[in-house]
Amino acid sequence: KLGLQLFVDTGCAACHGGSGRGDGPVAEVLSVPVPDLTRIAERNGGEFPQETIKQQIDGRDRITAHGSAQMPVWGYEFYIDEGAGAFSEQGVSDTLDSLVEYLAMLQVDSG
């Protein structure tokens, strides 16, 4: 439930849609297609790459092989939300983990 709340409250749903299919209200005005988050595992040979997804959402340490930054750098946003103090990184990690767990639950069966 926390993951769903974060997904909606942080603005993920604005682009990715409430169901994560890339059909949010902002998606149609973006210059790049918004990915369907329910098919991450399908696009990755049936495996849900939790750590990779966590890093992509965080965005502070971009992986060049994944292309340019089309998405906001949520790690900075969450860090500031946590107070930008000594304990903020744990809060950021917990927030990211909740979002990743929610996305893992959204995966559709490709069969």
Side-chain angles (χ1 to χ4, degrees), residues 11-17 21-27 30 34-35 72:
C12 303
C15 295
H16 293 285
R21 296 187 187 278
D23 58 355
V26 177
L30 297 175
V34 177

Side-chain angles (χ1 to χ4, degrees), residues 37 40-41 44 46-51 53 100-101 103-104 107:
L37 300 179
I40 295 170
N44 196 55
E47 301 276 334
F48 184 78
Q50 286 189 278
E51 192 56 36
I53 297 302
V100 171
E101 287 171 19
L103 293 177
Q107 300 310 292

Side-chain angles (χ1 to χ4, degrees), residues 65-89:
H66 294 153
S68 63
Q70 301 296 334
M71 193 168 77
V73 180
W74 288 110
Y76 288 129
E77 298 295 327
F78 298 148
Y79 183 77
I80 291 167
D81 287 349
E82 290 292 328
F87 297 102
S88 296
E89 280 303 325

Side-chain angles (χ1 to χ4, degrees), residues 2-35:
L2 177 59
L4 169 61
Q5 182 179 351
L6 285 166
F7 189 80
V8 172
D9 291 350
T10 61
C12 303
C15 295
H16 293 285
S19 62
R21 296 187 187 278
D23 58 355
V26 177
E28 65 185 44
V29 298
L30 297 175
S31 60
V32 295
V34 177

Side-chain angles (χ1 to χ4, degrees), residues 52-71:
T52 300
I53 297 302
K54 183 175 180 176
Q55 290 174 3
Q56 286 178 323
I57 296 169
D58 183 324
R60 292 179 290 172
D61 192 19
R62 285 273 179 223
I63 301 168
T64 308
H66 294 153
S68 63
Q70 301 296 334
M71 193 168 77

